[in-house]
Amino acid sequence: QVQLAESGGGLVQAGGSLRLSCAASGRTFSNYAVGWFRQALGKEREFVAAISWSGRSTHYADSGKGRFTISRDNAKNTAYLQMNSLKPEDTAVYYCAAPRNYYSDLSRIGINEYNYWGQGTQVTVSS
């Protein structure tokens, strides 16, 4: 079992930046890939980015490519999502998650394969 806790959300103006953190506790964090998801009000939860257990592989949704960067520090049991050039449409609750099983291809991990979830952190981008 892995417990995840997000932080770093807040209110930012369009064009600004935020760095979200996902702190893990419980079982060995470095055993798991990590994904970031977001859910806007009235919409379904959607994939944002994922990173492999080692940090060597990453995968992004088109919405974040070139603006968002996912990273991790296994020594600190923490994953990050650096978000730059934020837009009002990035407003959502952001969640980090981890799949129980190993997947060699991050792009093939569906949302239902993520077993462990944090409670979410609100990101609001004003225009």
Side-chain angles (χ1 to χ4, degrees):
Q1 187 87 4
V2 174
Q3 291 80 44
L4 303 172
E6 304 90 341
S7 61
L11 173 64
V12 63
Q13 288 188 331
S17 299
L18 281 175
R19 188 176 82 155
L20 306 183
S21 297
C22 173
S25 60
R27 301 190 68 177
T28 305
F29 176 66
S30 60
N31 288 345
Y32 301 93
V34 173
W36 283 96
F37 294 78
R38 67 186 184 185
Q39 188 167 18
L41 196 62
K43 295 187 177 181
E44 292 189 352
R45 194 169 299 188
E46 65 177 10
F47 172 77
V48 175
I51 188 167
S52 64
W53 66 270
S54 66
R56 285 194 285 267
S57 297
T58 58
H59 175 58
Y60 295 91
D62 289 343
S63 58
K65 283 182 180 176
R67 300 188 300 125
F68 295 177
T69 303
I70 189 171
S71 62
R72 67 189 297 161
D73 185 340
N74 287 340
K76 295 182 178 180
N77 290 338
T78 304
Y80 305 96
L81 184 68
Q82 176 68 44
M83 304 187 295
N84 299 327
S85 302
L86 283 162
K87 306 173 182 179
E89 51 263 44
D90 294 318
T91 295
V93 178
Y94 283 72
Y95 300 89
C96 65
R100 182 184 300 122
N101 298 321
Y102 170 77
Y103 296 88
S104 60
D105 186 345
L106 293 172
S107 68
R108 292 189 177 275
I109 308 176
I111 188 170
N112 292 328
E113 275 74 53
Y114 284 86
N115 307 103
Y116 309 114
W117 291 84
Q119 81 289 348
T121 185
Q122 175 71 46
V123 171
T124 303
V125 184
S126 63
S127 57

